[in-house]
Amino acid sequence: MLRPSPSARWGGARPVLGALEQLGGDLGTALLAFCLLLWLGVVAVLSLVGLGLLLAPAALRGVRWLADRERARLSRWGPDVLGPGPAPAPWRAALADAASRRELVWVAGHGTLGLVYDLVGIALPVYAVRDVTYPLYWRALAPEEFGSPWWWPVSGWTDAVAVSLLGLGFAALTVGLTPLMARVQRQAVGRLLGPPPGTDLSLRVAELTATRAAALDAHVAELRRIERSLHDGTQNRLVTVTVLLGAARRSMERDPAAAGELMERAQDAAEQALAELRSVARGILPPVLVDRGLAGALSGLAASSPVPCTVDVDVPGRCPVSVEATAWFVVAEALTNVARHSGASSVRVTARRRADRLFVTVTDDGHGGAVEGGGSGLAGMRRRVEAHDGVLTLDSPPGGPTTLEVELPCGS
């Protein structure tokens, strides 16, 4: 008998839980906005006697700080909300700045109406739980407490059940209303704190230009690596084969034994050249990646790693070939770095696909201290990841452990 997975059983509750989490986070910034609004009022009053003008720059920096905090919070729930950067230092310039004026309007609305709005959203599930469970505990209350509870006097089980039915109504409002409230709140804040029209597009064009340059650099670096591998390895082996075969041909009649030895050496050199060709071909696109997917390819890397390696892959379906190849390259390079530089006794590789993003993490228990440059290959990894619009994060404090995280877009 098949049973639904926990994610399937709770999938319907995720939008509501996510909305409540968003409204809870918004309530925190609304409380900060309320306090900041009171401070702005004090600064405005003190400005009448000139003292507030000294406090105005710090107050406006506080507005920018809180707005940036809200942008960062909203960016965790959807597309990044871009900020305008540091606020102008002179208070007159800050007030003349369009972004600063919109942030002041946001603080005024968020600290008043937004605070009430978030309190209503959070109160709905609280009322729902309180009223639905009322029949379970109303008899335990003192008579003067359960006799006049929330909405009407309760004198028996009929009234208690009526309170519970009212709680079901609050639960229905929670399910139907809180996701809409979170979406409306995000849209309203996005209009005030988001960039002016066209800014996002221009930044995106600049970002794509940079990633295109990174892709070209990564492509050129890959071509150089292949050329260097063929020139320094395979080509030298083939030259050796040619020289040995020529020497064997000349020695065939006068010294057959020496010719046989030369032919054997030529065969060994040809086999080595073939092995190097296969290695270069696997570096371009490993056949196991095509045949067995990312899970099989990463398991193959772990099996050949000098450091004991465990692999945990949860990637349903297939990602684009270029994304899988990049993930494989990053893990292969990371395992090479672990074996050469970390002094680790174990390493763990995890790969997860969440919606349209692929997350790959490599963690070792070595001595840490990894930095880009110095022949570690991290710069090459970053170029390949950024060429896919991905993000590479390295956390390697002295003493370890070292964690390399890669996030790659892989389509829906």
Side-chain angles (χ1 to χ4, degrees):
M1 178 179 177
L2 295 176
R3 296 181 179 178
S5 63
S7 60
R9 290 196 298 267
W10 294 98
R14 285 181 178 177
V16 178
L17 295 177
L20 291 175
E21 188 174 353
Q22 291 184 55
L23 291 173
D26 194 61
L27 178 61
T29 56
L31 291 172
L32 292 175
F34 178 75
C35 297
L36 184 58
L37 189 61
L38 294 179
W39 174 241
L40 289 172
V42 171
V43 171
V45 172
L46 293 178
S47 297
L48 299 177
V49 294
L51 183 60
L53 299 179
L54 301 176
L55 302 175
L60 293 175
R61 285 196 299 270
V63 171
R64 178 59 54 87
W65 171 83
L66 184 59
D68 288 339
R69 183 186 179 93
E70 181 72 356
R71 291 186 184 100
R73 188 187 68 83
L74 292 178
S75 297
R76 293 197 297 268
W77 298 98
D80 291 343
V81 180
L82 302 175
W91 66 269
R92 293 181 184 273
L95 291 178
D97 181 48
S100 298
R101 291 198 301 269
R102 287 190 287 119
E103 288 170 351
L104 287 172
V105 173
W106 169 76
V107 168
H110 195 50
T112 53
L113 297 177
L115 182 60
V116 176
Y117 185 87
D118 295 327
L119 287 174
V120 170
I122 297 298
L124 286 176
V126 175
Y127 280 133
V129 173
R130 184 194 67 178
D131 291 352
V132 166
T133 59
Y134 184 68
L136 301 178
Y137 63 86
W138 75 283
R139 296 291 296 179
L141 300 175
E144 63 273 10
E145 293 178 351
F146 74 74
S148 55
W150 288 264
W151 310 104
W152 56 76
V154 175
S155 57
W157 281 103
T158 302
D159 294 330
V161 172
V163 174
S164 181
L165 293 177
L166 181 63
L168 292 178
F170 281 122
L173 285 176
T174 300
V175 173
L177 198 59
T178 51
L180 177 63
M181 293 180 68
R183 187 162 57 251
V184 170
Q185 179 267 340
R186 176 180 173 82
Q187 292 173 352
V189 174
R191 282 194 293 269
L192 286 174
L193 298 185
T199 302
D200 190 19
L201 181 59
S202 62
L203 290 176
R204 184 59 180 159
V205 169
E207 181 181 354
L208 289 176
T209 301
T211 54
R212 184 183 65 176
L216 292 174
D217 290 342
H219 176 67
V220 171
E222 185 67 11
L223 290 178
R224 287 175 179 170
R225 183 188 67 81
I226 295 172
E227 188 274 336
R228 186 167 55 251
S229 298
L230 293 175
H231 181 273
D232 296 343
T234 307
Q235 178 176 285
N236 289 340
R237 300 293 182 188
L238 292 176
V239 169
T240 302
V241 170
T242 302
V243 172
L244 290 174
L245 288 176
R249 182 176 59 81
R250 290 190 296 269
S251 301
M252 189 69 69
E253 295 182 358
R254 65 176 184 269
D255 192 353
E261 182 181 351
L262 292 172
M263 292 289 289
E264 184 176 352
R265 291 171 57 189
Q267 182 179 359
D268 292 341
E271 291 174 353
Q272 292 176 6
L274 181 60
E276 290 174 354
L277 276 176
R278 287 173 178 168
S279 177
V280 173
R282 284 195 299 269
I284 298 172
L285 184 63
V288 67
L289 195 59
V290 178
D291 298 336
R292 298 173 54 193
L294 186 61
L298 296 184
S299 298
L301 287 175
S304 61
S305 173
V307 180
C309 179
T310 58
V311 176
D312 182 11
V313 179
D314 180 15
V315 183
R318 295 296 298 268
C319 299
V321 175
S322 61
V323 173
E324 291 185 344
T326 298
W328 180 90
F329 172 82
V330 168
V331 173
E333 193 71 24
L335 292 180
T336 301
N337 288 343
V338 169
R340 291 179 178 176
H341 309 296
S342 72
S345 60
S346 65
V347 59
R348 179 177 177 82
V349 177
T350 62
R352 297 284 186 271
R353 182 172 180 175
R354 297 293 179 262
D356 61 345
R357 313 292 289 184
L358 176 65
F359 299 89
V360 178
T361 305
V362 181
T363 304
D364 67 74
D365 59 356
H367 52 65
V371 293
E372 292 193 31
S376 64
L378 287 169
M381 283 190 276
R382 185 177 296 279
R383 282 197 302 268
R384 291 192 65 146
V385 170
E386 291 179 347
H388 284 276
D389 254 358
V391 178
L392 184 146
T393 305
L394 177 67
D395 181 20
S396 183
T402 296
T403 300
L404 177 71
E405 296 181 350
V406 170
E407 178 183 348
L408 293 167
C410 57
S412 56

